[in-house]
PDB file of all heavy atoms in Angstrom:
ATOM      1  N   PHE A  70     -16.486   9.228 -13.474  1.00 97.00           N
ATOM      2  CA  PHE A  70     -16.601   8.726 -14.862  1.00 97.00           C
ATOM      3  C   PHE A  70     -16.832   7.257 -14.938  1.00 97.00           C
ATOM      4  O   PHE A  70     -17.754   6.737 -15.535  1.00 97.00           O
ATOM      5  CB  PHE A  70     -15.326   9.108 -15.638  1.00 97.00           C
ATOM      6  CG  PHE A  70     -15.093   8.296 -16.888  1.00 97.00           C
ATOM      7  CD1 PHE A  70     -15.807   8.478 -18.043  1.00 97.00           C
ATOM      8  CD2 PHE A  70     -14.186   7.249 -16.847  1.00 97.00           C
ATOM      9  CE1 PHE A  70     -15.607   7.703 -19.134  1.00 97.00           C
ATOM     10  CE2 PHE A  70     -13.964   6.439 -17.975  1.00 97.00           C
ATOM     11  CZ  PHE A  70     -14.679   6.675 -19.113  1.00 97.00           C
ATOM     12  N   ALA A  71     -15.971   6.496 -14.208  1.00 96.00           N
ATOM     13  CA  ALA A  71     -16.036   5.022 -14.218  1.00 96.00           C
ATOM     14  C   ALA A  71     -17.359   4.542 -13.641  1.00 96.00           C
ATOM     15  O   ALA A  71     -17.946   3.589 -14.170  1.00 96.00           O
ATOM     16  CB  ALA A  71     -14.888   4.445 -13.442  1.00 96.00           C
ATOM     17  N   ASP A  72     -17.825   5.191 -12.626  1.00 94.00           N
ATOM     18  CA  ASP A  72     -19.123   4.848 -11.998  1.00 94.00           C
ATOM     19  C   ASP A  72     -20.234   5.033 -13.008  1.00 94.00           C
ATOM     20  O   ASP A  72     -21.132   4.202 -13.178  1.00 94.00           O
ATOM     21  CB  ASP A  72     -19.388   5.652 -10.727  1.00 94.00           C
ATOM     22  CG  ASP A  72     -20.612   5.238  -9.982  1.00 94.00           C
ATOM     23  OD1 ASP A  72     -20.926   4.064  -9.890  1.00 94.00           O
ATOM     24  OD2 ASP A  72     -21.321   6.130  -9.488  1.00 94.00           O
ATOM     25  N   GLY A  73     -20.231   6.157 -13.690  1.00 93.00           N
ATOM     26  CA  GLY A  73     -21.218   6.504 -14.720  1.00 93.00           C
ATOM     27  C   GLY A  73     -21.264   5.515 -15.852  1.00 93.00           C
ATOM     28  O   GLY A  73     -22.298   5.237 -16.433  1.00 93.00           O
ATOM     29  N   LYS A  74     -20.116   4.972 -16.159  1.00 92.00           N
ATOM     30  CA  LYS A  74     -19.970   4.000 -17.265  1.00 92.00           C
ATOM     31  C   LYS A  74     -20.233   2.566 -16.796  1.00 92.00           C
ATOM     32  O   LYS A  74     -20.284   1.662 -17.636  1.00 92.00           O
ATOM     33  CB  LYS A  74     -18.606   4.072 -17.934  1.00 92.00           C
ATOM     34  CG  LYS A  74     -18.341   5.398 -18.631  1.00 92.00           C
ATOM     35  CD  LYS A  74     -19.375   5.641 -19.723  1.00 92.00           C
ATOM     36  CE  LYS A  74     -19.103   6.959 -20.437  1.00 92.00           C
ATOM     37  NZ  LYS A  74     -20.192   7.383 -21.314  1.00 92.00           N
ATOM     38  N   GLY A  75     -20.318   2.344 -15.514  1.00 89.00           N
ATOM     39  CA  GLY A  75     -20.569   0.999 -15.006  1.00 89.00           C
ATOM     40  C   GLY A  75     -19.350   0.119 -15.125  1.00 89.00           C
ATOM     41  O   GLY A  75     -19.506  -1.137 -15.232  1.00 89.00           O
ATOM     42  N   ILE A  76     -18.178   0.673 -15.066  1.00 92.00           N
ATOM     43  CA  ILE A  76     -16.931  -0.162 -15.250  1.00 92.00           C
ATOM     44  C   ILE A  76     -16.161  -0.358 -13.991  1.00 92.00           C
ATOM     45  O   ILE A  76     -15.068  -0.993 -13.997  1.00 92.00           O
ATOM     46  CB  ILE A  76     -16.051   0.379 -16.354  1.00 92.00           C
ATOM     47  CG1 ILE A  76     -15.538   1.794 -16.024  1.00 92.00           C
ATOM     48  CG2 ILE A  76     -16.744   0.355 -17.728  1.00 92.00           C
ATOM     49  CD1 ILE A  76     -14.449   2.344 -16.968  1.00 92.00           C
ATOM     50  N   LEU A  77     -16.668   0.138 -12.833  1.00 92.00           N
ATOM     51  CA  LEU A  77     -15.968  -0.107 -11.582  1.00 92.00           C
ATOM     52  C   LEU A  77     -16.081  -1.605 -11.270  1.00 92.00           C
ATOM     53  O   LEU A  77     -17.148  -2.198 -11.322  1.00 92.00           O
ATOM     54  CB  LEU A  77     -16.612   0.696 -10.446  1.00 92.00           C
ATOM     55  CG  LEU A  77     -16.408   2.182 -10.488  1.00 92.00           C
ATOM     56  CD1 LEU A  77     -17.199   2.895  -9.417  1.00 92.00           C
ATOM     57  CD2 LEU A  77     -14.924   2.565 -10.319  1.00 92.00           C
ATOM     58  N   VAL A  78     -14.971  -2.201 -10.924  1.00 90.00           N
ATOM     59  CA  VAL A  78     -14.902  -3.661 -10.687  1.00 90.00           C
ATOM     60  C   VAL A  78     -15.842  -4.067  -9.571  1.00 90.00           C
ATOM     61  O   VAL A  78     -16.630  -5.005  -9.757  1.00 90.00           O
ATOM     62  CB  VAL A  78     -13.467  -4.090 -10.368  1.00 90.00           C
ATOM     63  CG1 VAL A  78     -13.432  -5.522  -9.853  1.00 90.00           C
ATOM     64  CG2 VAL A  78     -12.622  -3.975 -11.644  1.00 90.00           C
ATOM     65  N   ASP A  79     -15.782  -3.409  -8.461  1.00 80.00           N
ATOM     66  CA  ASP A  79     -16.630  -3.797  -7.287  1.00 80.00           C
ATOM     67  C   ASP A  79     -18.149  -3.713  -7.667  1.00 80.00           C
ATOM     68  O   ASP A  79     -18.889  -4.625  -7.348  1.00 80.00           O
ATOM     69  CB  ASP A  79     -16.393  -2.911  -6.081  1.00 80.00           C
ATOM     70  CG  ASP A  79     -15.068  -3.166  -5.418  1.00 80.00           C
ATOM     71  OD1 ASP A  79     -14.500  -4.236  -5.698  1.00 80.00           O
ATOM     72  OD2 ASP A  79     -14.595  -2.313  -4.640  1.00 80.00           O
ATOM     73  N   ASP A  80     -18.528  -2.694  -8.380  1.00 71.00           N
ATOM     74  CA  ASP A  80     -19.920  -2.555  -8.801  1.00 71.00           C
ATOM     75  C   ASP A  80     -20.346  -3.623  -9.786  1.00 71.00           C
ATOM     76  O   ASP A  80     -21.398  -4.193  -9.721  1.00 71.00           O
ATOM     77  CB  ASP A  80     -20.245  -1.184  -9.397  1.00 71.00           C
ATOM     78  CG  ASP A  80     -20.131  -0.053  -8.387  1.00 71.00           C
ATOM     79  OD1 ASP A  80     -20.135  -0.364  -7.147  1.00 71.00           O
ATOM     80  OD2 ASP A  80     -20.066   1.101  -8.796  1.00 71.00           O
ATOM     81  N   ALA A  81     -19.439  -3.924 -10.695  1.00 63.00           N
ATOM     82  CA  ALA A  81     -19.745  -4.962 -11.722  1.00 63.00           C
ATOM     83  C   ALA A  81     -19.869  -6.326 -10.995  1.00 63.00           C
ATOM     84  O   ALA A  81     -20.777  -7.097 -11.357  1.00 63.00           O
ATOM     85  CB  ALA A  81     -18.601  -5.034 -12.761  1.00 63.00           C
ATOM     86  N   TYR A  82     -19.013  -6.631 -10.093  1.00 63.00           N
ATOM     87  CA  TYR A  82     -19.097  -7.905  -9.365  1.00 63.00           C
ATOM     88  C   TYR A  82     -20.440  -7.969  -8.560  1.00 63.00           C
ATOM     89  O   TYR A  82     -21.137  -8.982  -8.535  1.00 63.00           O
ATOM     90  CB  TYR A  82     -17.955  -8.125  -8.420  1.00 63.00           C
ATOM     91  CG  TYR A  82     -16.635  -8.547  -9.115  1.00 63.00           C
ATOM     92  CD1 TYR A  82     -15.438  -8.123  -8.560  1.00 63.00           C
ATOM     93  CD2 TYR A  82     -16.647  -9.303 -10.244  1.00 63.00           C
ATOM     94  CE1 TYR A  82     -14.266  -8.472  -9.166  1.00 63.00           C
ATOM     95  CE2 TYR A  82     -15.461  -9.695 -10.849  1.00 63.00           C
ATOM     96  CZ  TYR A  82     -14.300  -9.267 -10.321  1.00 63.00           C
ATOM     97  OH  TYR A  82     -13.093  -9.642 -10.898  1.00 63.00           O
TER      98      TYR A  82
END
Side-chain angles (χ1 to χ4, degrees):
F70 158 79
D72 185 41
K74 295 299 181 191
I76 62 172
L77 289 172
V78 168
D79 289 343
D80 290 347
Y82 284 148

